[in-house]
Amino acid sequence: TEENIEDTLYYSDFQNIKSFGGLEPRISARISLSSNQSIKVSYNRMRQYIHLISNTTAPTPIDLWQVSNEYLPPQIADNYSAGYFLNLKDNRWETSAEVFYKSMDNLVEYKDFPTLFLNRHLETELLTGEGRAYGGELYIRKLKGRWTGWISYTYSQSQVRVESHNGSESINDGKWYESSYNKPHTFNLVMERKVMNKGAFSLIFSYNTGRPLTAIESSYIVGGTVVPVYSERNKYRIPNYFRVDLSFTIGNVIKKIDDSLVFSVYNLFGRDNAYSVFYQRPASNFLIPKPYKLSVLGSPLPSLTYNFKF
């Protein structure tokens, strides 16, 4: 903690404070089963020497970038993947099924109630842990015909564990918990219909599970002060995300010019998707904090675009 600092080290210009390095091997292979189907496997190791310190649960998120130092070693990830690929009807259709697994070391996590902004001793608020992610994806794409597009479904899990002999430096008693970006279900549908001369009508449908959230479960009063009791890290979730986009393209608006006019509507149904959830105490009941949903573009957003080439 900042209160326990006993000394300060000073370095001269261009003095090497800490060095990191290592190999990043990568290997991939493709096995052709026939002219229209194959199997692909791959492995790679990645090292990341800069860390994103993000307070995504606040109403006004703040992102900081911190390079690796004597307190924060570089993050290391080992990625494994395998997939089966199949083309049908003279490559009119593309299909694939893939699975993956990723193990991660030196992930950056935060102590409870960290102070990140304008903190001169940022390392006192950070913890390092291990992570794992795994899942699979099904994908189908139509390449030819009046109707084209693709559809995909992904199931994935992303988990973190921060374990230490010091209780203040463990999270959820050292057990695995969902990472802040864990969204088990993701579904995307993109459809396009060719109309008239160089015109097109397109529809985009997106759905994914809401990301995890650490929520207030109860409160109690000590000496006239209301003390909230939080759940385990990332025990709950914000509402699921759902959005539909629509666009219509007219080609050759002006003859002898390669141009197009595009009318689109983002978030067609005006869904009030949650960007984050935060808590405030309403005046009517100061004891029970109430959750509020922060949304961005919670209404339909039309736009008109004219494109031309010369």
Side-chain angles (χ1 to χ4, degrees):
T1 64
E2 189 171 358
E3 292 76 13
N4 292 332
I5 294 177
E6 297 180 352
D7 196 7
T8 302
L9 298 179
Y10 296 91
Y11 300 90
S12 60
D13 293 344
F14 306 107
Q15 181 178 354
N16 185 12
I17 299 175
K18 189 73 174 180
S19 296
F20 298 100
L23 298 176
E24 293 187 341
R26 304 176 185 180
I27 184 172
S28 62
R30 179 177 180 270
I31 305 171
S32 296
L33 303 179
S34 64
S35 60
N36 66 334
Q37 56 181 328
S38 62
I39 295 176
K40 298 179 182 179
V41 294
S42 68
Y43 162 78
N44 68 79
R45 163 166 284 197
M46 302 178 63
R47 300 174 186 268
Q48 183 170 307
Y49 300 92
I50 187 170
H51 309 269
L52 174 61
I53 312 301
S54 178
N55 185 7
T56 57
T57 60
T60 54
I62 297 173
D63 290 342
L64 307 172
W65 293 96
Q66 172 65 52
V67 297
S68 295
N69 53 32
E70 60 268 40
Y71 304 106
L72 294 176
Q75 301 177 63
I76 302 175
D78 291 302
N79 303 278
Y80 308 84
S81 65
Y84 173 73
F85 300 82
L86 174 66
N87 290 5
L88 301 170
K89 295 186 176 181
D90 296 328
N91 296 325
R92 181 181 295 268
W93 293 84
E94 288 182 351
T95 64
S96 64
E98 297 183 82
V99 294
F100 70 90
Y101 180 84
K102 177 189 290 187
S103 62
M104 295 160 280
D105 290 319
N106 302 329
L107 291 183
V108 177
E109 277 292 337
Y110 315 104
K111 294 182 179 179
D112 294 333
F113 312 108
T115 302
L116 303 178
F117 188 58
L118 298 179
N119 187 342
R120 297 180 58 190
H121 306 285
L122 194 60
E123 64 275 1
T124 62
E125 305 290 349
L126 304 179
L127 304 172
T128 57
E130 59 179 325
R132 63 186 180 188
Y134 55 89
E137 180 186 59
L138 298 175
Y139 175 83
I140 301 175
R141 183 179 182 183
K142 188 174 184 290
L143 300 173
K144 301 176 182 179
R146 282 191 170 274
W147 282 101
T148 58
W150 54 272
I151 182 173
S152 69
Y153 167 73
T154 303
Y155 173 79
S156 62
Q157 289 287 346
S158 175
Q159 299 172 328
V160 182
R161 180 169 63 183
V162 179
E163 190 175 20
S164 173
H165 296 294
N166 184 349
S168 65
E169 296 185 354
S170 294
I171 299 177
N172 290 4
D173 297 324
K175 299 179 292 185
W176 288 98
Y177 63 93
E178 296 183 348
S179 72
S180 298
Y181 301 100
N182 185 22
K183 301 177 181 179
H185 303 284
T186 300
F187 177 83
N188 291 293
L189 171 65
V190 177
M191 300 174 59
E192 183 176 278
R193 164 80 180 195
K194 296 179 180 179
V195 294
M196 299 183 294
N197 184 21
K198 295 185 178 180
F201 166 81
S202 65
L203 178 71
I204 300 176
F205 176 94
S206 301
Y207 169 86
N208 59 253
T209 307
R211 64 177 181 82
L213 166 74
T214 304
I216 295 177
E217 292 185 321
S218 62
S219 299
Y220 60 92
I221 299 178
V222 177
T225 301
V226 179
V227 180
V229 178
Y230 284 83
S231 67
E232 292 186 337
R233 184 77 60 93
N234 293 344
K235 181 180 179 180
Y236 298 96
R237 290 186 177 275
I238 67 175
N240 295 337
Y241 183 93
F242 166 74
R243 195 187 80 242
V244 175
D245 303 330
L246 187 70
S247 69
F248 184 76
T249 302
I250 301 175
N252 288 346
V253 179
I254 302 176
K255 293 183 178 180
K256 298 182 180 180
I257 297 180
D258 187 3
D259 64 350
S260 63
L261 185 67
V262 181
F263 173 75
S264 63
V265 181
Y266 177 88
N267 195 11
L268 179 65
F269 298 117
R271 181 174 170 83
D272 211 12
N273 289 301
Y275 179 79
S276 65
V277 173
F278 60 97
Y279 285 82
Q280 288 184 345
R281 292 189 181 92
S284 59
N285 190 339
F286 71 95
L287 181 59
I288 303 176
K290 181 180 178 181
Y292 292 86
K293 179 177 64 174
L294 175 66
S295 300
V296 179
L297 293 178
S299 60
L301 180 64
S303 64
L304 185 65
T305 307
Y306 176 71
N307 304 306
F308 64 93
K309 298 180 181 179
F310 59 94

